[in-house]
Each structure stands twice: as structure tokens, then as C-alpha cells.
Amino acid sequence: MFSKILIANRGEIACRVIRTARKLGYQTVAVYSDADRNSPHVALADEAVHIGASPAAESYLKIDAILDAARKTGADALHPGYGFLSENAAFAQACADAHLVFIGPPASAITAMGDKALAKRRMLEAGVPCAPGYLGADQSDMALTTEAKKLGYPLLVKAVAGGGGRGMRLVRSDAELQQGIDGARREATSAFGDGTLMLERLIDNGRHIEIQVFADAHGNAVYLGERDCTAQRRRQKVIEEAPSPVVSPAMRAAMGQDAVAAALAVGYRGAGTVEFIVDDKLNHYFLEMNTRLQVEHPVTECITGYDLVEWQLQVAAGDVLPARQEDITLTGHAIEARLYVEDPYTGFAPQTGTVAWWQPERALVEGTRVDDGIRQGSVVSPFYDPMVAKIIVHGRDRDDAIRRLRAALANTPLLGLKNNGSFLSDLVDHPAFRKAEMTTTLIDQWLEQGEPLLQAPVPSDAAWTVAAVALATQHGSSWRANSVAAYGFQLQTGDTVRAVRVLPDRHGAVAVTWDGHTTAARVLQFEDGVLRIEIDGVARTAIAVFAGAELHLAHAGHSHVFTEVSAFPNADALKDASRARSPVAGKVTQVLVATGDTVQEGQQLVCVEAMKMEMWLCAESAGAVKAVHAKAGDQVESGAVLVELELNTKKEA
């Protein structure tokens, strides 16, 4: 038995676990890094302990610091959440040695499934179907190259200790293989401390379908339906739904039985997920088992009616599973959208900064749930995953759930940082999603092909009007004299600039003119960022907040950033090909040039890693390296100059 639970994690999953633990009467302890000192999970717990600096390796991955926090607070159980140390067998064993109840599987099961190559061998022995691959001990480049040619392309180079898409590279030809091996090995070593790789033949145009399993210490094991996680970008899930639109009852039973067999084969206990790839003929093949709670567990909770964290606590306390297989039924359809602070219109580049607006309670109607780890005013740092919230809906059927999700996303705008909210709404309305024709690589293909879904939304005329009115009615910050009646200014969003003229009156009415067309608008209410406005006789609501010189606007399901163009432009803001700047705040992992080197246009200079993504800084023009201002391991700010170039100004005849 236990009474106080330490949550060895952060963000939305820490908040999620704390809520159920407190509902059941358990005391809770949060741990936090420097970057998370003011994070919501810290305030939500009964107690909190600082465990180190901002990088995960110096805080959330420090076993000794976490165990010391448990000793200080008298915690007698530990929930690892997901990510970080959640699938680390040494951590689970260290908890057991410290007489802490580890709310997860035994270390032996984590070990058995944690090495992806060993896990596949176990599954083959248990009769669970697996995709062809190479699981050998010879990790030389020559051996991997030889085995890759035997398997054929496309294939995946995967870290055996990997998870969450890290340490994985898709390779489609001999020409891409060495770069794939090097990239996967480097990322795996950095993320997991283990660069061992395996090869797996890619099931092209496949669907990612996983089974939620649960086992107790009394020999009982059940499956709780499937989740379809096919909508992915760069092997990272963005949308999950349950049940899968392509799985029949017979297929569900077959996959469920294979998943239970996989769990029993390793003496599993607690919550686990067995992931399968399903080909175009609906044959399923074992991918891996995640020996923890999944990010997408809420959709299973919605369709089964069970609280899976509550089940975890009950099993950890030695109780029998709360339900038998025949008791488990599925009702309705649930969809989860992962809200990432990344820009889907610039290759999903991660973002950092301050949350200017976030009020998820506006979306909380029946059938809608928001799991988050941020608050208005929170600072999103480059040290952790870019997922900051999950929007979950439960409908009577799939179409009902899609409609509810789009409404929830529109009602829950995140402003202050670029994010994928609009993209998610457009994605679930795309014909490929509605017709259940997604594959795990389709979004990546769209990115290469310039699919309209991945082009930044163009603001409507109504959005321009709302932005102009918001600027015109901004109190106490205008440089214009009160005696000025009508005035003009330049309004910009993205690369588009419009000359706008506004004529406000004392009663809240504003006439907005551009291109010779005038729109009549009236401010009905503008308080705490909520702008209620009437445009040409139609009243509507928008969210409009100012962050410095920027107006962040959410209107009609899309978000845009507007600025008033200064009459005195900043020369430093102009693009300068001679100064290669970091695209994000993050960690420098590779520097490929030195002072004096000659570079060609498009040549890779520096690699910066942030939020699970490697981004290459490339030369925008040919020239010679004048100076290098970073080395591998440095933490750099967004916009920092990393390489200076002496541009080649000679023109070819």
C-alpha cells in the first residue's frame, strides 16, 4: 500500500496523474527543473522539489535526484508518466531497491520490451507476426549496409532503445542509407545513451494501430480496444482516434489476442501498449511495446468509460483488474489532437516563447476534454517536447467527433507562439482523413509536394478588419494625438502588407477602408482579449491580444499575427545572407565548417536540436566562412548568429 505519489515527469502528463491521484485521496509530489519552476504541475501538487537545471539530462533524467526528492518528502510510490525515465529498467529497479512502489511494469518486463530487437525476437517466439528486419549484434556500418541491401527499400533504421520517434530514420535508397545510420545513431546516443540500431522493412502506405493492454499481479490480462495513430509527421503522432475506422470486430479480437500474448510473454503488469503496423490488406505486424501509459490514452478512456490512471494505481496497489475482458465495451468515437508549439507551414519548426492567450475552459462543453501543462503567461522553453496540450472529444460516431474537435480547436486558440492548431482542424476535415485513407507517411509526402493543407492560411477580409479595429481601439498605446480623426497606417501579416485607413467615432464605430472599399464595424465589447465586434451588421467574436508590437488574433478558426509597419524599418530585421542565424533556441549538435572554409549555396553549416527535432542551418549564398560562433554542445538562442560568411560577389559571365 502507498499514500503519497511522486510524479517523475512534467507538463500535461504530470497534471493528468496528479488530478486522478488527488481524486482518490493520494498526496502528490511534483519535481521540477529550473525552466519549470513556475509550471502548472508544480502548483497543482501538494509538494514540489527542485531537481536540477533545465536540460533533461540534468534534471528529469537524474535518477539520484528523483529518488532523493522521494526521500525528502516521504513519498512511497512513484509514477513515471511517459517519456524521460518511464521505460528505463534501471530506474524501475532503483525504485524497487529504494522501497518505492513503481507505478508501472516490473524492470524485467521493461528490459524485455525496451530493446526493440530483443522484443521482436520474443514476439516471434510467442507467435506474434513481425515485419522482416535485421536484429543482429554486428553494428558496423558495413554489416548494416549489407543487411539493408538484403532487406530492400524502403526501410527504417531504428534505435533499439528508442521511442517517441527518436533515433529513427526512413531510408528509401542506397544513397540515403549512410546518412540515415549516422543520424539515427547520433540521436539515439544523445536521447537514450545507446546507439545500437536495428533495421526494419517499411510497410509502405501502412496504418499505425495500437492495442491498449492491462495486466495485474494475479495473472489477469485484458485489452481495451485499439487506437488509430496513423496521422503522423516525421514519425510523431498528431491525431489519434478510437476505435479505428478500418478495424472490424474480428480484426480487433485478433490484434487484441496478439497484444495480450505479447504482454503475458514478458510477465507484464500495469498499463502497456502494443503497437502494430497494418498493411493495405489489413495484415498486422508487431512494431514495439510501450511499457508505460501512452500520450493518447484519453481516447481509450472516452470510449470505455474507465480512468486508466486509476487502473494503474489499483494494479500497483496489488488489486485485481477492475474489469474482465467480457465486461469491456466500446461506445461512440473519440479523437485526440496534439497541440504542438511548432509551425506546420515552415516544416514543423519548433517554437519557443511566452503564452499570450490560453483559456481552454472556453471549450469545455460535454464531450470535450483538454489535458494541458501550460497557463496564460507560461514560458515554453526549448528543452522539452513541443506538445503543450491535448484536445480530446467524444462523439456518438466519427463524423460527430470530427465536428466537435474542430469546434473545440476553434474555441481553444493558443496565442503568443506559432502552433499547429489550425493545421489540426484542417487535417481532420481533409478528404484523406474523413475517408480513412491516411498513411503514416502521407503528411510527410504532402510537405514535399506542397499540399495546400501545409500552406499558411490567408487571413480573410473580416480578419483584416478585426485586426485594424483592434489596433484602432487599443487603449493607452497609440502615438496619435486625440485630435486626429481619420488616419492611415500599414498593416502586415506574413509577407502581405495593406494600406489601411480608419475613421473611429466616440461611440465605438469604426469605418475601415482599403483598396477603395469601406467596411463598417462597431466594437460591442473588448475585455481581457475577447473582442465582440459587429461587421456590416453581423456580430462575431475574436480573441485579440497584444504581445509587444504584435497583435495575435484568433478568428473563425484560424490564428494570425499582425503588426503595424513602422515608418522607420529596422535594418537588422532585413535578411542578411552573410549571417547564418539559429532558427530556434536549442542545442548545437554539429558544426561542419571552420573559419576559412569555402561553402556553396545550400551547404549544411550547423545542426541545432530543439524539442526532438534536428534543424540544419544552411548557407544562403556561396562564400567563405569568416567566423564560427558556436561549438557542439552549446545552448543558443533563437536568432543567434552562429556563422558569419564573406559572400562571393563574383558573377559568372
Side-chain angles (χ1 to χ4, degrees):
M1 300 298 293
F2 50 88
S3 59
K4 183 182 288 190
I5 303 170
L6 183 145
I7 297 89
N9 218 293
R10 64 176 300 279
E12 66 87 15
I13 185 55
C15 295
R16 163 73 187 91
V17 173
I18 290 170
R19 282 194 294 269
T20 287
R22 297 188 71 178
K23 178 185 74 174
L24 298 177
Y26 293 104
Q27 291 184 294
T28 58
V29 179
V31 292
Y32 63 93
S33 67
D34 288 346
D36 282 338
R37 187 176 297 276
N38 298 313
S39 292
H41 76 280
V42 176
L44 192 60
D46 296 305
E47 298 174 275
V49 180
H50 177 253
I51 55 170
S54 298
E58 300 175 36
S59 50
Y60 297 106
L61 294 176
K62 289 178 65 177
I63 294 176
D64 289 347
I66 292 171
L67 295 182
D68 185 56
R71 284 191 291 269
K72 284 180 180 178
T73 57
D76 47 5
L78 182 145
H79 195 300
Y82 48 68
F84 296 135
L85 294 168
S86 63
E87 294 181 278
N88 186 305
F91 181 50
Q93 188 59 53
C95 289
D97 294 342
H99 306 293
L100 281 171
V101 175
F102 183 76
I103 303 174
S108 58
I110 297 176
T111 298
M113 287 299 192
D115 185 308
K116 309 308 179 192
L118 291 176
K120 286 191 71 172
R121 292 194 190 100
R122 286 280 192 107
M123 294 305 100
L124 290 168
E125 292 170 2
V128 179
C130 297
Y134 172 68
L135 314 173
D138 189 342
Q139 289 289 298
S140 66
D141 288 357
M142 181 178 295
L144 292 170
T145 300
T146 300
E147 294 299 330
K149 290 180 177 179
K150 288 181 184 177
L151 282 171
Y153 301 101
L155 60 79
L156 294 172
V157 181
K158 300 174 69 174
V160 300
R166 305 213 72 182
M168 184 187 301
R169 295 293 186 275
L170 170 62
V171 176
R172 293 192 176 274
S173 67
D174 283 338
E176 299 176 5
L177 181 61
Q178 190 60 53
Q179 185 177 2
I181 291 171
D182 292 343
R185 183 180 284 140
R186 180 177 62 252
E187 191 173 58
T189 301
S190 172
F192 312 112
D194 183 351
T196 308
L197 304 176
M198 60 182 278
L199 305 177
E200 184 173 87
R201 182 65 188 272
L202 178 71
I203 306 298
D204 225 350
N205 299 318
R207 296 189 73 92
H208 180 123
I209 299 176
E210 60 191 33
I211 302 290
Q212 176 71 60
V213 295
F214 244 99
D216 62 24
H218 306 279
N220 304 302
V222 297
Y223 63 91
L224 293 93
E226 80 283 358
R227 296 185 288 258
D228 196 316
C229 309
T230 301
Q232 302 181 10
R233 56 102 181 99
R234 294 179 179 146
R235 302 287 156 185
Q236 287 283 308
K237 303 165 188 173
V238 293
I239 296 284
E240 301 101 346
E241 57 182 318
S244 168
V246 304
V247 171
S248 66
M251 183 178 174
R252 179 175 301 118
M255 294 180 73
Q257 290 162 11
D258 281 340
V260 168
L264 293 176
V266 296
Y268 202 77
R269 186 173 68 244
T273 296
V274 181
E275 300 191 345
F276 295 97
I277 190 73
V278 176
D279 65 19
D280 54 5
K281 295 182 177 59
L282 298 184
N283 298 308
H284 62 276
Y285 303 92
F286 173 83
L287 282 179
E288 63 186 21
M289 183 176 188
N290 294 126
T291 54
R292 52 170 167 80
L293 196 67
Q294 289 279 83
V295 174
E296 56 271 21
H297 75 274
V299 293
T300 298
E301 295 183 320
C302 288
I303 64 168
T304 62
Y306 298 122
D307 181 332
L308 298 191
V309 174
E310 183 173 348
W311 275 39
Q312 285 188 296
L313 302 185
Q314 290 174 308
V315 168
D319 294 344
V320 174
L321 284 176
R324 298 170 298 177
Q325 191 64 61
E326 57 267 28
D327 299 326
I328 298 168
T329 58
L330 311 182
T331 303
H333 198 95
I335 306 179
E336 173 182 288
R338 297 191 185 191
L339 191 64
Y340 288 107
V341 283
E342 61 185 17
D343 186 359
Y345 312 116
T346 57
F348 297 98
Q351 309 292 306
T352 58
T354 301
V355 177
W357 172 273
W358 177 245
Q359 294 190 12
E361 60 274 11
R362 291 171 57 87
L364 295 183
V365 297
E366 185 177 353
T368 301
R369 164 178 164 183
V370 178
D371 287 7
D372 64 354
I374 55 171
R375 295 292 180 269
Q376 201 160 292
S378 291
V379 176
V380 179
S381 75
F383 300 104
Y384 315 115
D385 191 279
M387 190 192 78
V388 294
K390 303 180 304 195
I391 316 298
I392 309 109
V393 296
H394 186 205
R396 64 179 179 274
D397 55 30
R398 192 167 186 260
D399 286 341
D400 186 35
I402 290 173
R403 184 177 60 256
R404 288 171 182 257
L405 179 60
R406 299 194 76 215
L409 287 165
N411 292 329
T412 320
L414 169 62
L415 300 181
L417 298 91
K418 291 181 180 179
N419 60 83
N420 67 338
S422 295
F423 165 74
L424 292 170
S425 181
D426 293 341
L427 174 60
V428 296
D429 196 40
H430 192 282
F433 187 89
R434 283 194 174 268
K435 295 177 182 178
E437 294 174 350
M438 296 294 296
T439 68
T440 56
T441 57
L442 186 56
I443 294 177
D444 295 331
Q445 293 169 22
W446 286 344
L447 189 61
E448 295 174 1
Q449 297 163 359
E451 169 73 18
L453 182 76
L454 287 163
Q455 306 301 311
V458 176
S460 64
D461 285 350
W464 281 94
T465 298
V466 173
V469 171
L471 282 165
T473 57
Q474 184 186 12
H475 296 293
S477 60
S478 176
W479 52 267
R480 302 175 182 87
N482 291 332
S483 60
V484 176
Y487 54 87
F489 58 91
Q490 299 241 311
L491 189 59
Q492 179 173 5
T493 182
D495 295 327
T496 304
V497 179
R498 274 182 167 172
V500 178
R501 186 171 180 80
V502 298
L503 176 60
D505 66 18
R506 295 178 180 273
H507 307 290
V510 182
V512 181
T513 303
W514 66 74
D515 297 336
H517 174 73
T518 299
T519 301
R522 179 178 298 276
V523 176
L524 304 177
Q525 184 179 12
F526 194 1
E527 187 176 353
D528 295 331
V530 180
L531 175 60
R532 185 71 175 160
I533 185 172
E534 182 183 279
I535 300 176
D536 289 336
V538 178
R540 61 194 75 193
T541 300
I543 306 300
V545 294
F546 290 90
E550 297 179 334
L551 169 66
H552 294 258
L553 178 72
H555 175 263
H558 291 290
S559 300
H560 306 283
V561 179
F562 290 88
T563 55
E564 184 178 343
V565 180
S566 170
F568 310 100
N570 183 353
D572 290 338
L574 301 177
K575 198 165 187 178
D576 183 357
S578 70
R579 296 158 72 85
R581 299 176 181 271
S582 177
V584 295
K587 180 181 179 181
V588 175
T589 59
Q590 292 186 82
V591 178
L592 300 186
V593 294
T595 302
D597 287 355
T598 299
V599 298
Q600 302 301 315
E601 182 178 351
Q603 182 175 332
Q604 293 178 332
L605 306 175
V606 178
C607 182
V608 179
E609 180 184 292
M611 296 177 168
K612 287 189 175 182
M613 188 179 295
E614 288 187 338
M615 284 153 287
W616 281 97
L617 192 59
C618 299
E620 295 183 11
S621 181
V625 177
K626 182 178 178 182
V628 178
H629 299 294
K631 63 182 183 301
D634 285 355
Q635 290 286 340
V636 296
E637 295 298 320
S638 177
V641 176
L642 305 186
V643 178
E644 292 186 63
L645 300 175
E646 188 76 42
L647 300 183
N648 185 354
T649 57
K650 294 181 181 179
K651 297 183 179 179
E652 296 195 16

